[in-house]
């Protein structure tokens, strides 16, 4: 299953130095966006172990970063899938592999992240 979530976290370089309160607000906003996308797509709980593939999509006026600087985005979204009830947890028992693809650039499209959930 493939799901678009209109969320793109700040750079990992910036996020690791962020005040805990600001980071919590950002994570909470991410989790809300994930829940809304999950409901919109009608996704339920995944029963099997999964691979997660994250592909950021950069829309209008969003600057490109090094691929590894999207890792905080990936973590927030993975935690959001747990909070939304799609995954029971994000430990290795449930998530076998996490893959971060380089961003796709489409200046006419909405900025966010494609999340592919592959049951293994």
């Amino acid at each position: 299953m493939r799901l678009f979530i209109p969320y793109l976290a700040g750079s990992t370089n910036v996020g690791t130095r962020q005040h805990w309160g600001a980071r919590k607000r950002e994570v909470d906003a991410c989790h809300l966006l994930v829940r809304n996308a999950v409901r919109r797509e009608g996704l339920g709980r995944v029963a099997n172990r999964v691979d997660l593939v994250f592909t950021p999509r950069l829309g209008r006026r969003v600057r490109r970063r090094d691929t590894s600087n999207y890792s905080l985005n990936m973590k927030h979204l993975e935690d959001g899938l747990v909070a939304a009830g799609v995954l029971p947890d994000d430990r290795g028992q449930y998530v076998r592999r996490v893959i971060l693809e380089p961003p796709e650039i489409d200046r006419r499209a909405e900025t966010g992240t494609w999340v592919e959930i592959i049951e293994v």
Side-chain angles (χ1 to χ4, degrees), residues 68-80:
S68 61
N69 277 323
Y70 295 99
S71 64
L72 189 60
N73 182 61
M74 188 172 59
K75 178 62 177 156
H76 290 178
L77 291 168
E78 182 183 27
D79 290 345

Side-chain angles (χ1 to χ4, degrees), residues 5-120:
I5 302 168
Y7 175 78
L8 188 66
S11 167
T12 300
N13 291 334
V14 173
T16 56
R17 294 186 299 268
Q18 197 173 30
H19 184 274
W20 69 268
R23 185 171 42 247
K24 180 173 180 351
R25 282 189 298 278
E26 184 171 340
V27 167
D28 289 346
C30 173
H31 291 186
L32 180 62
L33 291 168
V34 171
R35 278 192 206 105
N36 289 340
V38 164
R39 281 190 198 126
R40 186 175 56 245
E41 295 297 321
L43 295 181
R45 183 176 285 264
V46 176
N48 300 320
R49 198 170 181 206
V50 298
D51 287 345
L52 298 174
V53 181
F54 297 90
T55 307
R57 182 171 74 189
L58 309 183
R60 193 172 178 191
R61 292 189 220 140
V62 177
R63 199 172 135 210
R64 187 182 321 192
R65 315 173 192 150
D66 296 340
T67 302
S68 61
N69 277 323
Y70 295 99
S71 64
L72 189 60
N73 182 61
M74 188 172 59
K75 178 62 177 156
H76 290 178
L77 291 168
E78 182 183 27
D79 290 345
L81 290 170
V82 173
V86 175
L87 301 174
D89 199 357
D90 56 355
R91 289 176 291 163
Q93 176 182 353
Y94 304 103
V95 179
R96 179 181 74 163
R97 185 177 300 140
V98 176
I99 301 164
L100 177 57
E101 296 287 352
E104 64 179 45
I105 299 169
D106 184 348
R107 299 303 184 193
R108 296 179 193 193
E110 183 177 17
T111 295
T113 307
W114 284 104
V115 179
E116 188 173 359
I117 303 169
I118 305 166
E119 292 188 60
V120 292

